[in-house]
Amino acid sequence: MHAAPDLDSEVVDPSTGEAIAIATAYWPHGLQEEVGGSVVLAIDTTPAEQAAMEASDYRVFHSADALRRYVRNMRAEHAST
């Protein structure tokens, strides 16, 4: 079952609780509930925000097209196993 994203949501550093950025869409528990890591669609971020999200192990995408390609690739990987 696919998880619904949190829209226009604050992304926080999991170790400090400090806000990093506002995401267009945010899946804190993965694209499928409890499967995979946190995914962020952040269209307008600064290099510092990008670096902070990556350092916090978020999978970050800057366009809906890039996120769709990732989902297609993940589906293809799962279909071949």
Side-chain angles (χ1 to χ4, degrees):
M1 173 185 227
H2 294 286
D6 296 337
L7 302 177
D8 298 319
S9 181
E10 188 174 73
V11 178
V12 298
D13 181 318
S15 61
T16 66
E18 291 184 39
I20 297 173
I22 300 297
T24 303
Y26 175 39
W27 293 263
H29 304 288
L31 294 173
Q32 290 184 321
E33 285 296 327
E34 307 303 327
V35 177
S38 300
V39 175
V40 177
L41 174 61
I43 302 209
D44 295 313
T45 56
T46 67
E49 291 168 335
Q50 171 74 24
M53 286 187 284
E54 290 175 355
S56 297
D57 292 327
Y58 290 108
R59 183 170 294 274
V60 182
F61 298 91
H62 297 286
S63 73
D65 286 339
L67 178 57
R68 280 191 284 273
R69 282 192 302 273
Y70 171 73
V71 170
R72 277 194 303 268
N73 290 339
M74 294 301 294
R75 285 181 180 159
E77 282 182 24
H78 289 292
S80 66
T81 58

